[in-house]
Structure formats: C-alpha cells, structure tokens
Amino acid sequence: MISVKGIIESFHVHFVGTETNRSFWEWVYLGSRIFILLTYILLHSIVLIARRIITSIITCPIYRRVKVFKRNFFKNVPIVGKFKICLLDKWDNFIMEQLLPFFEKILQTIELCFQLYVVELLFKNNENVQIFFTEDSEPLELFDGEEQLSTLLIANHRSVNDYALVNYLIQDESLVRYTNKREVINKLWKENRTIVPILNFISWGKIFNFPKISLLKNIVLKDENAYLKEDEFEDHLMTNNNQVYAIFPEINILTTELGFVQRKLNQEYIFVTKFYNVLYPRFRNFITVVNCFGFVQNIKKMRHNYIFNETKQYLNEKFDKILLPTKKDDRKKNEAQVSMILSDSGLFEKRPEDSSSRENKPVNRTSLSNFKLNPYFYDLTIVYYRPIITSKGHNHTTGNMKIHKGYQLQQIVPSFLDLLMAKKPQRDMGKTTTKTKTKNHIKEEETTPTDPVEEIGPIIIMVQISKCKMAPLLPLKDKKLERWLEQRWGHKDKLINIIDSKIEVK
C-alpha cells in the first residue's frame, strides 16, 4: 500500500510538475480544462454507481424471493393476476434488455469523449508539443478490412502522458479521420461501433482506458507489482470485441531518482542486466497477454528439459544467497529498493506457477468466434525532450554531450500540466535539425538562431514504432518470454542512445 506522502509526491511529480510561474489567464485556462476532465470522471462515476446499484438489487436473493412470491400470489388472482404477472415480466425485460444496456452505452460514450478530449487537448490542438517519428518507424496496422484485430502493444514508460500519447498514436497512425467528436459519438450511439480503434491498457491489475474508481483504488491500495491474472484476461477476451492491449512493462515511470537508484544497482549486482535509459522490465502482464493469446489460438507450449530447469533454479538460489546481504535488516531494505526497479525479475520474489498447466483447459470457441489475432505486435520507444540553455552538456550514460551554441535537447519527464501548458520560447533558441519521419515522408524541423535566452522551448516527443511477428512468442514458456523481453529492453536501451545521437542542434 502506498503512503499518503508517496501519493502526494507522485501526484506533484507526474501531474503538477515544477513550473508554477504562470499568469492569471493561464491558470483560468488550466482550471477550465481540468474542470471538464473532472466532469467526465464525475459523470462516469455516477452512472457506474447507478448501474451497480440496479444490478445488485436484481441479483439480490431477497429481490428474487419477493419476485417469486408475487408471481405465485398473482397466479391465484383471477383476471388481474395475469395482467400483474405480465407487468412483472415486462419490468424484468426492461431492466435487463434496455436499462442496463443503456447505462453501458452511456459509460462507453463518456469514456470515448474523455479519450478524444484528452488527445485533442494535449496533442492535436497543442502547437507547442511536437511529435516526430524516426526513419525506421512502421505504420500501425490494426484492422483486417473494416474489422479491428486483437493487437498487443508494448512501450517504455517515460511519463504519465504516455497513456494519452498512445491514444493519440492509435487514432492518428491508424488514419482515423473525423470532422468532429459528434460524428464519432453518433456512430457509437446509433450503430454501436466506433470509428476510433478500441484501446485498453493493462496495469495495476486492471484493464482500463479511463480513470475509474476501481483503478484509483488499486493505485492507492496496491503496489507496482500488481498484475492481471490470466483467468481475468481470458474472460475479457471472451466477452469483448477485438481490441488493442497496451502494456508498459516497466510500470514505474523512469524519473531521475529511479535512474540514479538503478545505476547504483548496476554497480552492486554484477549479474543483473544493466539498463540506463529504461527501467528493468516487469514480466507478468506481458506473459499473461501472450499466454492467453496462445491459449485461445490452441498454440501448444514448447517442451522443455525438466532436469535442466531444476538445475538452473538450484543455481539461481545459490546466486541469490551470494548476492543478497546476510543481515535480515539490510536484506529487507535492499529488497524493498531493488523490487522497485527489478520487480518480478526473479531475484527477490517467488514466481507464479508456469501457465503450461492450463493447456488441458477447454476453450469456449463459441465465445471466441469473432476473435482475430493480429499477426504482428508493436513495440513503441518514447523519449521526451526539451531545448534548454546550458554551458556544460551532460549525458547520464557516457558522462558528456556535445553542446550546440549553448543549447541542448535534454531528456525530460513532463508532468500532465507541463505538457498541457507547454510554451513557445519568447525568442528563437537555435537551429534544431531532427531527421524524422512524419506519416510516410521525411522532414526537417528548423528554428533560426539568435542570442541565448532563459525561456525554455516546446516539448519534443520522439517515437519509434517497431513491428514484430507474434507467432514466435506464442509457444514460448514463461521463462523464455522473460528472457525475450529482457533482451528486447536491452535493444530499446541502445535505441534511445541512437535516437539521442541523431538529433542535431545547429
């Protein structure tokens, strides 16, 4: 459970930020936008509570007994009795077939409006936030004709704004075009379908794309190691349409403080894979999604050598005794600190039983008749930059960085308000050339140089979208999936260094 102090600090870092020097009208603008966001959350909570109350009433044993009693009573009443029984049936049908589906559609509409509004607020209508794609980026292919596919998307975690950024990429990169939000809402309300691809995040033990009460409760009551169980995800696949499932395997956002802690661990634990631009990956949500995709596709897991696995586990336990401190107090302190970075890497917590025992479980093919798995999944690499004035460049990986006429593109962790209230510099800051790809063409962004000023520039977001085949992952055992993700994160760590090196400031 997170402490109250930790919640306040996290809220300040990830939502408020450090910049408070704003004008009166900026605060008015900011307050009006936050009010709209809170209104969406409040309306959603009211409708959700109303639906749950009605559902709990009609499923309550007392309600069912009263309904049976009334039905038996009116059977013995001539003429009027049949009419009353007919009214009871119509009432039940109204609740189950009209009222509850109506509440569900309202909830979907509120969630969709919230997603569209946040994307427009932070990216589409914000000229001071610029998004560029690397030359090697692939387009997102999420549809088979007009039908959406079930697609896995993984990404490193650099900011709380990553959730809005992924929503923007899903909408924009899928060539979704709409004149206004009313058009999208009408499609959902009248035709029960959305122009925008359905996207959900898997984190904190929940499947979500809206700040629901249950999600906030998990964030407060649980730690970052909370994960989604495979049975829960299977139920979701069987009861919902094809969707995009986005995972941030790090869960923790890479802040400066966590970066320092991880570098310290890199020095102390020599057998741990070293990362500098990303945090050590967490495996469980990733394994849950891959295993469930393979399970519903009837993909058999690869056989493995039990003797080899037992020997490897024995050696791992011996290494743990060597690596971990012998004093209990020191060990607990180090476990708490390391688990924040390494999580379920296998050093400090017992792994759940391998999911291969689920292979004999029958699959409900009727429920999964519309399930279509995308043959590819997508790996997003996200880096946030901001031009700053500095007389001495610094890179936390190599210890130095080339300075371009006193300006440097510094990696940042922007808060929600930082992104919302991003400003243009009062004077031009320098000539920045970034070789990037926007849609399907290469372009260069430039600003002309003048004298240095203290004003910081707009926020620049670099994104690389890599497309990978899904089939090779489906038959892999849990341990091999962990190894694959760890290697993938090592590649991502090097990729961020390459992105840094390709950005030139002139």
Side-chain angles (χ1 to χ4, degrees):
M1 180 176 176
I2 301 178
S3 65
V4 176
K5 182 180 179 181
I7 295 175
I8 295 175
E9 290 179 352
S10 297
F11 180 80
H12 186 270
V13 171
H14 300 304
F15 289 91
V16 179
T18 56
E19 186 179 352
T20 58
N21 186 20
R22 309 184 195 278
S23 67
F24 171 77
W25 293 112
E26 286 178 332
W27 283 111
V28 171
Y29 170 82
L30 186 60
S32 63
R33 298 304 179 266
I34 293 177
F35 175 78
I36 295 174
L37 294 175
L38 293 178
T39 301
Y40 281 124
I41 297 174
L42 179 61
L43 290 176
H44 188 278
S45 300
I46 292 173
V47 177
L48 184 62
I49 292 172
R51 189 191 67 172
R52 287 181 177 177
I53 291 174
I54 295 174
T55 304
S56 62
I57 290 175
I58 63 176
T59 57
C60 176
I62 297 177
Y63 176 82
R64 291 200 298 265
R65 289 182 181 180
V66 171
K67 188 169 64 174
V68 171
F69 172 78
K70 286 184 176 182
R71 186 178 295 276
N72 292 335
F73 173 78
F74 286 120
K75 282 182 180 180
N76 300 319
V77 178
I79 302 176
V80 179
K82 291 183 178 179
F83 177 73
K84 291 291 185 181
I85 292 175
C86 183
L87 286 179
L88 287 174
D89 292 338
K90 287 183 177 180
W91 174 250
D92 290 341
N93 291 334
F94 171 75
I95 293 176
M96 299 301 298
E97 297 178 7
Q98 297 186 41
L99 186 60
L100 292 180
F102 176 73
F103 280 152
E104 182 63 29
K105 185 167 287 188
I106 291 178
L107 291 174
Q108 293 176 1
T109 303
I110 295 174
E111 292 176 10
L112 182 59
C113 289
F114 180 87
Q115 295 158 15
L116 296 175
Y117 181 74
V118 170
V119 167
E120 290 178 355
L121 188 66
L122 296 182
F123 301 109
K124 288 190 175 181
N125 297 334
N126 193 345
E127 297 179 354
N128 300 323
V129 176
Q130 303 175 20
I131 301 176
F132 301 118
F133 299 89
T134 65
E135 293 177 315
D136 299 327
S137 284
E138 300 277 355
L140 291 171
E141 299 174 355
L142 308 177
F143 291 88
D144 181 11
E146 295 184 356
E147 186 175 3
Q148 185 176 344
L149 301 173
S150 292
T151 307
L152 172 63
L153 185 150
I154 60 176
N156 62 313
H157 208 2
R158 280 299 183 97
S159 169
V160 71
N161 300 298
D162 293 341
Y163 294 99
L165 177 61
V166 173
N167 271 286
Y168 169 75
L169 296 176
I170 292 296
Q171 295 177 26
D172 199 59
E173 282 299 290
S174 301
L175 301 179
V176 177
R177 296 292 180 266
Y178 57 90
T179 56
N180 51 49
K181 288 187 288 188
R182 181 179 298 177
E183 178 185 348
V184 182
I185 302 305
N186 286 338
K187 287 287 184 181
L188 175 62
W189 196 261
K190 296 179 180 180
E191 302 179 19
N192 200 28
R193 70 183 185 90
T194 61
I195 302 176
V196 177
I198 302 174
L199 166 68
N200 269 312
F201 296 91
I202 300 178
S203 183
W204 293 99
K206 304 295 290 185
I207 302 174
F208 67 94
N209 197 5
F210 186 86
K212 300 179 181 179
I213 297 176
S214 58
L215 172 66
L216 300 179
K217 183 182 72 173
N218 274 20
I219 293 176
V220 173
L221 299 180
K222 297 183 179 181
D223 60 18
E224 297 90 343
N225 297 322
Y227 64 95
L228 185 69
K229 296 181 180 179
E230 293 187 6
D231 291 341
E232 295 178 4
F233 187 59
E234 284 176 16
D235 293 340
H236 180 86
L237 292 178
M238 292 180 181
T239 56
N240 292 273
N241 296 325
N242 294 301
Q243 302 176 359
V244 177
Y245 299 100
I247 302 174
F248 300 113
E250 299 171 42
I251 295 185
N252 280 318
I253 297 174
L254 179 57
T255 60
T256 304
E257 292 76 11
L258 289 181
F260 287 145
V261 172
Q262 182 161 268
R263 291 184 193 96
K264 181 180 179 182
L265 295 174
N266 288 340
Q267 299 174 354
E268 294 182 357
Y269 299 94
I270 58 175
F271 294 102
V272 175
T273 306
K274 295 175 174 56
F275 299 107
Y276 298 95
N277 298 302
V278 293
L279 293 179
Y280 202 92
R282 303 177 191 269
F283 306 110
R284 290 186 177 178
N285 284 327
F286 175 75
I287 290 174
T288 291
V289 175
V290 175
N291 283 341
C292 288
F293 280 171
F295 178 65
V296 299
Q297 294 285 95
N298 273 340
I299 304 296
K300 300 296 182 182
K301 291 292 183 180
M302 295 174 59
R303 293 184 177 182
H304 59 283
N305 191 319
Y306 288 96
I307 298 178
F308 175 76
N309 280 349
E310 292 295 329
T311 304
K312 186 168 65 172
Q313 182 177 358
Y314 173 79
L315 292 176
N316 284 339
E317 292 176 355
K318 292 297 183 182
F319 277 122
D320 289 350
K321 293 180 179 179
I322 297 174
L323 289 175
L324 298 179
T326 55
K327 294 182 180 181
K328 293 184 178 180
D329 293 340
D330 291 341
R331 175 169 178 165
K332 289 181 179 179
K333 181 178 179 181
N334 278 272
E335 286 184 8
Q337 187 182 53
V338 175
S339 63
M340 178 176 62
I341 303 295
L342 302 182
S343 180
D344 47 3
S345 60
L347 287 177
F348 298 105
E349 57 180 309
K350 186 178 180 180
R351 300 172 188 266
E353 185 178 355
D354 196 298
S355 58
S356 59
S357 60
R358 300 164 55 256
E359 292 182 3
N360 296 325
K361 179 180 175 181
V363 181
N364 188 343
R365 292 295 162 193
T366 303
S367 301
L368 292 169
S369 58
N370 295 325
F371 178 83
K372 285 189 177 182
L373 181 62
N374 195 327
Y376 297 96
F377 70 95
Y378 296 92
D379 180 8
L380 271 59
T381 302
I382 303 169
V383 190
Y384 295 85
Y385 294 98
R386 195 167 220 170
I388 63 168
I389 298 173
T390 179
S391 59
K392 182 178 181 182
H394 181 68
N395 181 295
H396 292 303
T397 304
T398 61
N400 54 59
M401 179 179 284
K402 185 178 179 181
I403 299 302
H404 305 275
K405 296 183 180 180
Y407 296 99
Q408 173 183 321
L409 279 179
Q410 184 183 54
Q411 291 189 28
I412 61 171
V413 180
S415 67
F416 176 78
L417 296 190
D418 288 339
L419 206 66
L420 177 60
M421 302 299 292
K423 300 178 182 179
K424 289 183 178 179
Q426 293 178 353
R427 303 181 192 176
D428 294 332
M429 296 192 58
K431 187 176 180 181
T432 304
T433 303
T434 56
K435 196 174 183 182
T436 59
K437 183 175 75 172
T438 303
K439 304 304 175 191
N440 296 318
H441 63 275
I442 307 296
K443 75 173 186 178
E444 292 186 351
E445 291 290 323
E446 297 184 352
T447 56
T448 55
T450 54
D451 295 334
V453 294
E454 295 182 358
E455 182 73 24
I456 56 178
I459 293 177
I460 298 171
I461 305 176
M462 294 296 301
V463 179
Q464 172 157 320
I465 304 175
S466 303
K467 182 168 71 172
C468 309
K469 291 184 178 180
M470 192 75 205
L473 295 184
L474 298 179
L476 296 182
K477 293 287 186 179
D478 291 0
K479 301 287 183 64
K480 290 185 179 292
L481 286 174
E482 292 178 3
R483 182 58 179 164
W484 181 92
L485 186 60
E486 186 179 67
Q487 292 175 345
R488 188 74 192 178
W489 242 236
H491 171 74
K492 188 183 294 290
D493 189 72
K494 296 176 182 177
L495 177 60
I496 293 175
N497 285 334
I498 295 175
I499 293 175
D500 282 344
S501 65
K502 286 187 176 181
I503 298 180
E504 298 180 357
V505 182
K506 297 182 179 179

